[in-house]
Amino acid sequence: MMRKHSSHIEAGSSSCCSGTCYCSKKVKVTICVVIWTVIAVIVALILAVIIKAATLQELFERMELGARDDPVFMSATEQEILERSQRLVDAISYRTISFSGTNLSLEAMTDFGTFLERVFPNLHDSDFVTFTPINTYSRLYRIEGTEKTLNPYLLCAHMDVVPEGDFDLWTHDPFDAGIVTESDGQDYIFGRGAIDDKHAVLGIMEALEYKVVNKEQPKRTFYIGFGHDEEVSGYLGAAEISITLEKMLKDNGEELDFLLDEGMFVVADIIPGINVPLIYIGVAEKGWAVVDLDAEGDQVHSSTPPLESSIGILAHGVANMEDNKQPSMFGKGPEIDTLRYAAPHATFLLKMILGNLWLFSGLVSSALELSSQTDSIQRTTTAVTIFNAGVKENVVPSQAHAVVNHRIHPSDNLEDVLELDRENADRVKVTLRDSFPPSEVSSYSNDVIPFQIVVNSALEVFPDAKPVPGLMVANTDTFHYKNLTDKIYRFTPVYNLPEDIARFHGIDERISVDIYSKVVQFYYRLMVNADFDVKIAPTAQVEVKPEEVEEFLEILEESDYESPINNTDSNLLPLTKVMEESDENSANETDSHLMILQDIPEEPNENPSNETDSGLPPSQDILEEDFDAMPVNETYSDMLPLESAPKDLDLYDLTPEEETFSNRTID
Ligand SMILES: CCCCCCCC/C=C\CCCCCCCC(=O)N[C@@H](CCC(N)=O)C(=O)O
């Protein structure tokens, strides 16, 4: 009876209750309503998905940082490009290999330093460049800007390389290949360090040398840090540079605005359906963990092997770790924005998927898993890098040892990672040897000027590529600089197809002459773009005569005012420092201006943000705007930021002398 009844319902429902049916009218109507509701929901969903895909907006909005449509590049004749390429070839010939933390190629590193000084003589001799050796082999440069009110930035790269690995697999000598024309007709600079990271060291030096030779002293002070042991974690190089730099910044009353290090790159054809190259800027970096795996068994004669040897136990554990990966964190880290930023440039089908991640995130996560490269952006990775056991072919060893290297996703945590390791390798001793956590995510909203500076510079050399923020899946020296700034970006404009990514630490590392030329231009443009400067509105500045600076300092001295020079918390350029410098420089400074605080509105009408990340609109916009609307905490303006000045300096409560002083101008 039941079977018969239900078959009638099915028959009826297939035509939505038309025709003969034993169920009541009410049931029929309900079934109809349910079916039509389901159909309506599905249609609405499909429509929503299509509309979302059709209306996807570009998420990165480019801020004009000056001559956007007509950027001025370094001159680059064929001869100059060749000479620059040859210098990179020469740089690669120095075997500055880091084998381990205690086995660095220090003699080669010394020679490499001498080489840099020889081939870039002008910058090493420049009045506005100061070089400080760090821990003998690493290098820190300070490039003095002409304007003291802009916070400096740091460019990083590293001079060491990993060993070449299997020499016989290389098509050309990894340290002596020169420039090679490949079957695609392109000229390549081959060798270890070509993209990791001597291209960046040489690229930065080329750009700076050019600026020095052409008397283009930058407006904004910046620093360059070249570590000598990045490939073994940078504890002797970057860590020491960071300590010295912190002191220099403090002594100069500066705060680091942002830093750019190696990291991600321009990548093409990595996601099927996205047919434009992506300028992939690392805005966060994975953590790191090294785990020792030890298995024990009986040491016996190989003619009577045990049921399970130490090697077998360890092999099972390791195989389990590879089979049961650490869980996907898709949607919990910067990878989600990599895809959201890329989505408007996808085929329509992919736009429907990427534009509707609320619906398709499971599908996307599974698709990312299909390639180890794309999978690395969504989870903690597990790489078995060392496996050792046995000494003789007829002795079953009692010990087997392996090493696993994890790169930890920013939303994962070490305890969970180790717990899964222990589950996977349940009969193996799992010991954490070394680790550091994932980085913070640096801000990449459109109003963050440092992010704009990096992206604009990349767009100027790769105009057809599209910027996306994302996770740096490997590690860099930036770990050591994390106390100096919260705006840390990881990128060099090397163009990579998926097959090229395998050249990092792999075989046949290379960079084309054409791309290397873009690398050099990128750093040059970055130095120009970083000078982008919001001009102060004329009504907001009052200039002061040098002798009156003295007078003001005396007044300050007499008061109980404490100089903020030694205050590490302040991100202000101390006023006394500005005054001293203005005094020194006033003779030859064309637009030197000292800021008088009471001329800046006490209560700006609208303070868009109190966050240090909030950027200002470009200078020309500022000049046109009502000055009342200027944010008070902005570090990009030429004015002394107000956040602590009134409190510390009591300038809102001026004595008559102070008031007279503060309404004067500097000549
Ligand atoms: C949707 C877009 C997906 C993009 C996927 C990109 C996959 C990228 C794959 C490889 C990246 C290679 C990065 C090379 C970085 C070189 C720096 C380096 O090797 N650093 C060492 C530092 C070691 C340490 N202890 O600090 C390292 O990470 O091992």
Side-chain angles (χ1 to χ4, degrees):
M1 185 62 193
M2 277 303 285
R3 273 177 68 193
K4 195 174 169 191
H5 190 198
S6 62
S7 72
H8 279 297
I9 288 176
E10 279 162 20
S13 60
S14 68
S15 57
C16 196
C17 299
S18 60
T20 321
C21 173
Y22 292 116
C23 52
S24 71
K25 195 171 172 201
K26 200 172 162 195
V27 171
K28 279 191 209 162
V29 169
T30 308
I31 290 169
C32 262
V33 168
V34 168
I35 289 171
W36 281 111
T37 306
V38 170
I39 291 172
V41 167
I42 291 172
V43 170
L45 266 181
I46 292 172
L47 273 177
V49 164
I50 291 173
I51 290 169
K52 190 77 204 291
T55 57
L56 272 185
Q57 298 283 326
E58 180 113 33
L59 291 177
F60 177 74
E61 272 175 38
R62 190 169 176 181
M63 185 188 280
E64 302 220 6
L65 298 181
R68 169 183 169 163
D69 295 325
D70 195 15
V72 176
F73 290 105
M74 291 166 67
S75 108
T77 60
E78 245 177 60
Q79 181 61 23
E80 283 167 326
I81 290 176
L82 192 67
E83 283 168 11
R84 287 173 195 148
S85 299
Q86 188 54 50
R87 282 191 280 271
L88 179 56
V89 166
D90 294 344
I92 289 170
S93 71
Y94 293 86
R95 295 168 174 263
T96 54
I97 303 172
S98 290
F99 294 96
S100 73
T102 51
N103 187 0
L104 306 172
S105 306
L106 296 179
E107 212 173 300
M109 196 56 81
T110 305
D111 294 344
F112 184 69
T114 310
F115 159 79
L116 289 180
E117 286 162 25
R118 178 166 53 79
V119 296
F120 301 112
N122 296 294
L123 78 85
H124 285 95
D125 208 25
S126 165
D127 287 346
F128 61 86
V129 180
T130 319
F131 164 62
T132 310
I134 305 287
N135 224 348
T136 310
Y137 307 100
S138 283
R139 308 177 76 85
L140 175 61
Y141 296 86
R142 176 180 160 89
I143 296 86
E144 185 80 25
T146 52
E147 295 196 9
K148 313 291 177 240
T149 50
L150 294 167
N151 269 325
Y153 62 97
L154 170 67
L155 295 178
C156 308
H158 64 89
M159 303 178 290
D160 61 325
V161 297
V162 291
E164 72 275 21
D166 195 336
F167 182 93
D168 292 337
L169 294 178
W170 284 71
T171 318
H172 308 282
D173 188 319
F175 295 100
D176 190 21
I179 299 173
V180 177
T181 307
E182 290 279 73
S183 53
D184 61 3
Q186 293 225 57
D187 292 337
Y188 288 91
I189 301 156
F190 252 85
R192 186 53 93 218
I195 51 173
D196 181 12
D197 187 32
K198 284 182 173 163
H199 71 303
V201 173
L202 272 278
I204 293 169
M205 291 277 97
E206 292 286 355
L208 181 57
E209 178 80 356
Y210 185 88
K211 281 181 85 70
V212 169
V213 168
N214 290 284
K215 303 195 171 26
E216 297 175 18
Q217 182 172 4
K219 279 198 221 166
R220 190 201 282 235
T221 296
F222 66 98
Y223 293 85
I224 296 172
F226 292 154
H228 73 277
D229 65 339
E230 187 272 350
E231 295 294 0
V232 289
S233 294
Y235 289 106
L236 299 172
E240 294 294 323
I241 294 176
S242 177
I243 292 168
T244 306
L245 178 55
E246 188 170 7
K247 191 171 175 310
M248 277 188 188
L249 290 165
K250 198 171 159 187
D251 290 348
N252 289 303
E254 299 163 339
E255 279 231 337
L256 198 64
D257 189 16
F258 72 96
L259 83 78
L260 176 70
D261 196 358
E262 65 164 340
M264 302 312 282
F265 30 73
V266 179
V267 60
D269 294 349
I270 189 94
I271 301 174
I274 293 180
N275 301 324
V276 289
L278 301 174
I279 293 171
Y280 186 126
I281 313 273
V283 295
E285 182 169 312
K286 281 184 159 181
W288 156 285
V290 178
V291 175
D292 284 300
L293 303 177
D294 289 285
E296 292 193 353
D298 292 334
Q299 180 177 323
V300 291
H301 195 284
S302 61
S303 61
T304 55
L307 291 179
E308 277 188 315
S309 64
S310 60
I311 294 178
I313 294 169
L314 186 60
H316 271 118
V318 162
N320 274 345
M321 283 175 143
E322 290 188 343
D323 288 347
N324 306 314
K325 291 195 265 197
Q326 297 286 336
S328 165
M329 296 284 150
F330 183 73
K332 297 181 185 157
E335 69 285 341
I336 187 107
D337 271 348
T338 305
L339 299 179
R340 288 177 63 237
Y341 275 63
H345 313 290
T347 57
F348 195 74
L349 179 65
L350 191 57
K351 269 187 190 166
M352 290 202 291
I353 295 169
L354 296 182
N356 293 282
L357 287 171
W358 57 276
L359 186 60
F360 296 119
S361 67
L363 179 71
V364 172
S365 174
S366 305
L368 289 176
E369 209 174 332
L370 297 175
S371 135
S372 61
Q373 290 173 352
T374 51
D375 197 35
S376 67
I377 68 173
Q378 67 167 338
R379 76 179 75 241
T380 297
T381 51
T382 301
V384 186
T385 47
I386 296 174
F387 199 107
N388 284 326
V391 287
K392 178 113 177 45
E393 65 278 5
N394 59 354
V395 178
V396 178
S398 62
Q399 310 272 345
H401 174 73
V403 175
V404 159
N405 183 203
H406 290 296
R407 306 295 171 116
I408 304 164
H409 186 279
S411 296
D412 212 341
N413 73 75
L414 186 59
E415 288 68 38
D416 292 347
V417 170
L418 292 176
E419 196 178 312
L420 186 59
D421 281 351
R422 293 196 169 102
E423 263 173 46
N424 279 327
D426 60 343
R427 285 170 302 147
V428 172
K429 189 168 149 227
V430 175
T431 319
L432 178 67
R433 188 200 296 183
D434 175 25
S435 72
F436 55 79
S439 75
E440 298 290 317
V441 181
S442 293
S443 179
Y444 51 88
S445 55
N446 287 325
D447 60 357
V448 176
I449 294 181
F451 186 66
Q452 287 280 348
I453 289 169
V454 174
V455 173
N456 268 270
S457 310
L459 281 168
E460 284 164 1
V461 292
F462 281 101
D464 299 329
K466 302 294 171 192
V468 297
L471 182 59
M472 167 62 181
V473 299
N475 293 105
T476 65
D477 272 341
T478 57
F479 172 75
H480 300 290
Y481 300 115
K482 64 181 189 302
N483 296 336
L484 301 183
T485 174
D486 58 359
K487 292 185 205 73
I488 298 183
Y489 304 105
R490 304 153 186 88
F491 174 79
T492 65
V494 175
Y495 183 93
N496 284 315
L497 295 168
E499 58 266 31
D500 295 321
I501 295 174
R503 298 177 195 273
F504 285 94
H505 294 198
I507 304 298
D508 283 350
E509 184 176 343
R510 66 179 193 190
I511 186 169
S512 75
V513 166
D514 181 39
I515 298 293
Y516 178 58
S517 183
K518 286 182 189 290
V519 171
V520 174
Q521 297 287 4
F522 166 78
Y523 286 114
Y524 176 74
R525 287 303 306 163
L526 191 120
M527 289 171 197
V528 174
N529 288 329
D531 277 349
F532 164 75
D533 172 13
V534 176
K535 291 286 177 234
I536 195 164
T539 52
Q541 68 186 52
V542 179
E543 296 181 336
V544 182
K545 286 185 178 150
E547 61 272 22
E548 289 171 336
V549 173
E550 298 294 337
E551 197 185 319
F552 186 57
L553 289 172
E554 274 171 34
I555 294 167
L556 283 179
E557 260 168 37
E558 279 163 27
S559 72
D560 57 1
Y561 158 66
E562 265 188 29
S563 165
I565 288 179
N566 298 326
N567 176 2
T568 48
D569 287 334
S570 155
N571 64 358
L572 302 176
L573 185 64
L575 186 59
T576 47
K577 186 82 187 151
V578 177
M579 288 173 165
E580 282 156 19
E581 284 166 354
S582 292
D583 205 356
E584 277 163 29
N585 298 332
S586 57
N588 51 7
E589 237 180 349
T590 48
D591 65 348
S592 114
H593 28 246
L594 208 54
M595 320 53 141
I596 297 306
L597 299 166
Q598 91 266 27
D599 279 345
I600 295 163
E602 284 180 44
E603 296 269 339
N605 287 350
E606 263 178 50
N607 180 357
S609 163
N610 278 339
E611 290 162 19
T612 49
D613 271 353
S614 97
L616 281 179
S619 53
Q620 60 272 36
D621 295 342
I622 288 287
L623 288 171
E624 282 159 24
E625 277 172 22
D626 182 352
F627 185 70
D628 281 355
M630 276 186 88
V632 285
N633 282 344
E634 190 44 63
T635 51
Y636 291 92
S637 86
D638 278 353
M639 63 185 152
L640 185 68
L642 286 173
E643 58 192 357
S644 64
K647 185 165 38 105
D648 295 349
L649 299 175
D650 251 353
L651 284 178
Y652 282 135
D653 193 10
L654 299 173
T655 63
E657 298 102 303
E658 286 165 344
E659 209 154 320
T660 317
F661 165 84
S662 63
N663 282 310
R664 303 298 171 77
T665 57
I666 249 183
D667 292 326

